[in-house]
């Protein structure tokens, strides 16, 4: 968080310098004490939206204001620790994302080693969450959390939404349960991929790559990117960064096979379970 604030402060300082303003000049024009400019530029004081607007106005950089405001919001809300979210159990964590899911019309999802939560079976979701409880030591409400996840999946079949999903082939082989459970999950993935609202692409393991693999990410419409790490949920709302993730998703999609070739890869993964 502090690194993000420092980067944002450095960007404001660059804008001031490019405008040919000293800190005293900017403070005078904005009607601030000079120390305020110094505190903001050294990340000792967080600017408000009004501060950013005034900064851009007096530095003749109003064209950058939308991006800066989005960055400001992102800095304050981009990093939410899992421990705090999980403190009262996993059910509330599942329910917390329902409003975002319901208002999103276009989902672009990339995963490296896991089947996306919207396409998981009860058994697969249970195995995933059971392991999270064991590893993190959070309250055990797995049954309720799995039910909440299943309830959330209704958005796949309701409303005017689209789901563009790209999976690394490795995700099909990441076994978190017995053979029967994994076979059922992969068969269900084939079924879901047949829905009109879903486009499923698989990046073959042996393909000549034009884009490296990255941590999994979800793009919600054009205004938000979500990333989950072992310690935190990161939310990105800065337009410049979102554009990079959109380009990344496009590149990854270009390497993926869809339709019958994708189904064939999944079927081969099911057959490999018996080996």
């Amino acid at each position: 968080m502090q690194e993000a604030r420092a980067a944002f402060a450095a960007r404001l300082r660059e804008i001031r310098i490019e405008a040919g303003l000293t800190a005293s000049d900017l403070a005078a024009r904005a009607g601030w004490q000079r120390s305020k400019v110094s505190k903001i530029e050294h990340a000792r004081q967080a600017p408000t939206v009004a501060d950013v607007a005034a900064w851009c106005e007096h530095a003749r950089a109003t064209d950058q204001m939308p991006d800066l405001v989005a960055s400001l919001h992102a800095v304050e809300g981009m990093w939410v620790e899992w421990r705090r979210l999980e403190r009262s159990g996993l059910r509330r964590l599942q329910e917390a994302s329902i409003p975002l899911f319901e208002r999103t019309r276009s989902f672009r999802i990339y995963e490296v080693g896991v089947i996306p939560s919207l396409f998981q079976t009860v058994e697969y979701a249970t195995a995933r969450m059971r392991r999270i409880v064991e590893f993190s030591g959070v309250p055990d409400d797995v049954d309720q959390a799995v039910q909440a996840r299943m309830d959330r999946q209704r958005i796949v079949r309701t409303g005017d939404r689209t789901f563009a999903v790209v999976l690394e082939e490795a995700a099909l082989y990441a076994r978190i349960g017995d053979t029967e459970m994994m076979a059922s999950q992969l068969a269900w993935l084939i079924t879901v991929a047949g829905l009109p609202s879903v486009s499923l692409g698989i990046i073959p393991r042996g393909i000549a790559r034009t884009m490296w693999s990255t941590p999994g990410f979800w793009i919600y419409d054009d205004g938000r990117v979500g990333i989950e790490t072992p310690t935190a949920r990161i939310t990105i709302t800065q337009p410049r960064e979102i554009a990079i993730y959109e380009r990344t998703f496009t590149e990854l999609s270009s390497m993926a096979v869809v339709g019958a070739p994708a189904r064939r890869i999944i079927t081969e993964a099911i057959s490999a379970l018996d080996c």
Side-chain angles (χ1 to χ4, degrees):
M1 174 67 79
Q2 188 57 35
E3 289 181 359
R5 286 176 175 166
F8 184 77
R11 189 174 172 197
L12 290 178
R13 183 174 183 274
E14 288 173 2
I15 289 173
R16 174 181 63 75
I17 292 173
E18 288 174 359
L21 296 175
T22 66
S24 297
D25 292 336
L26 179 57
R29 293 185 183 190
W32 301 335
Q33 293 182 349
R34 186 195 180 287
S35 60
K36 179 172 180 175
V37 175
S38 177
K39 289 177 181 178
I40 289 175
E41 290 187 350
H42 289 86
R44 294 197 300 269
Q45 176 177 331
T48 65
V49 172
D51 292 337
V52 171
W55 200 292
C56 290
E57 178 185 353
H58 298 299
R60 300 183 299 279
T62 53
D63 60 317
Q64 298 191 49
M65 192 173 76
D67 194 55
L68 285 167
V69 170
S71 297
L72 178 64
H73 291 317
V75 167
E76 297 305 319
M78 69 184 296
W79 193 275
V80 181
E81 291 185 10
W82 279 120
R83 173 61 72 178
R84 179 164 63 83
L85 291 174
E86 295 173 342
R87 191 171 296 148
S88 58
L90 298 180
R91 178 182 63 83
R92 290 186 62 184
L93 189 62
Q94 299 301 305
E95 294 174 342
S97 62
I98 290 176
L100 172 61
F101 280 34
E102 289 184 338
R103 66 175 178 265
T104 299
R105 288 296 173 265
S106 170
F107 290 79
R108 282 170 285 178
I109 302 169
Y110 169 71
E111 291 289 1
V112 179
V114 65
I115 305 301
S117 61
L118 287 173
F119 307 139
Q120 292 176 2
T121 63
V122 169
E123 295 77 15
Y124 186 96
T126 299
R128 289 270 303 166
M129 292 189 188
R130 182 67 62 194
R131 183 60 187 129
I132 291 171
V133 167
E134 293 170 352
F135 182 81
S136 302
V138 298
D140 185 350
D141 61 348
V142 169
D143 291 341
Q144 296 90 334
V146 169
Q147 185 58 55
R149 176 167 290 186
M150 295 302 107
D151 291 343
R152 196 175 63 182
Q153 289 181 356
R154 71 181 183 276
I155 68 166
V156 179
R157 296 177 178 273
T158 61
D160 184 21
R161 299 182 180 88
T162 59
F163 303 84
V165 182
V166 175
L167 301 181
E168 297 285 350
E169 185 178 352
L172 309 178
Y173 290 85
R175 296 181 62 164
I176 61 170
D178 61 33
T179 297
E180 182 179 355
M181 183 274 283
M182 287 299 300
S184 177
Q185 172 62 76
L186 295 178
W188 177 244
L189 186 61
I190 293 176
T191 299
V192 174
L195 294 174
S197 60
V198 177
S199 171
L200 175 65
I202 308 292
I203 300 178
R205 288 181 291 184
I207 196 170
R209 300 189 71 101
T210 59
M211 183 71 193
W212 54 90
S213 61
T214 77
F217 60 88
W218 292 40
I219 304 175
Y220 303 92
D221 291 328
D222 298 318
R224 178 187 296 246
V225 175
I227 306 168
E228 296 182 357
T229 76
T231 59
R233 170 183 287 170
I234 302 171
T235 299
I236 295 171
T237 58
Q238 183 181 21
R240 289 189 308 169
E241 292 193 46
I242 291 174
I244 292 173
Y245 278 95
E246 289 175 335
R247 286 174 52 204
T248 300
F249 187 83
T250 298
E251 288 283 345
L252 292 166
S253 297
S254 71
M255 297 187 298
V257 298
V258 299
R263 291 193 295 273
R264 183 165 55 252
I265 290 176
I266 299 173
T267 300
E268 290 172 354
I270 294 174
S271 299
L273 291 170
D274 295 326
C275 297

